Amino acid sequence: KDLAAIRHQLQHSIADCTSESAQRLRERIDQAHTPQELWMLRNDAFQIISQQHNQSIAAERINALIQSFDGWLEPKQLVRIK
């Protein structure tokens, strides 16, 4: 597990999103230095995916990221979106 792998997974979750806000988020993901910074960006990713698709798909993609953060964050932080 490393930061690059987490970054890749988060980038992959928004890969089919084409808005300007998605492009800005890609840049923020690339600039993040810690798993915690990347974890904080998942809310932005959720919003962007919801706008491109719907909330159900967004929740599915964001929840799939949780395993990437396992071991990097406190377990109580790794909350699934319902």
Side-chain angles (χ1 to χ4, degrees), residues 25-76:
L25 180 57
R26 285 183 186 91
E27 293 168 8
R28 291 173 61 203
I29 291 168
D30 287 341
Q31 295 168 358
H33 297 291
T34 66
Q36 291 79 6
E37 287 179 51
L38 290 169
W39 180 251
M40 298 305 288
L41 294 175
R42 81 194 191 294
N43 290 325
D44 295 333
F46 179 85
Q47 293 300 320
I48 288 167
I49 298 163
S50 293
Q51 291 167 2
Q52 182 82 26
H53 299 286
N54 61 51
Q55 286 189 349
S56 177
I57 290 173
E60 185 179 300
R61 290 185 187 184
I62 299 305
N63 288 337
L65 296 171
I66 290 175
Q67 66 187 13
S68 299
F69 288 94
D70 189 34
W72 290 100
L73 302 172
E74 293 291 323
K76 66 182 177 185

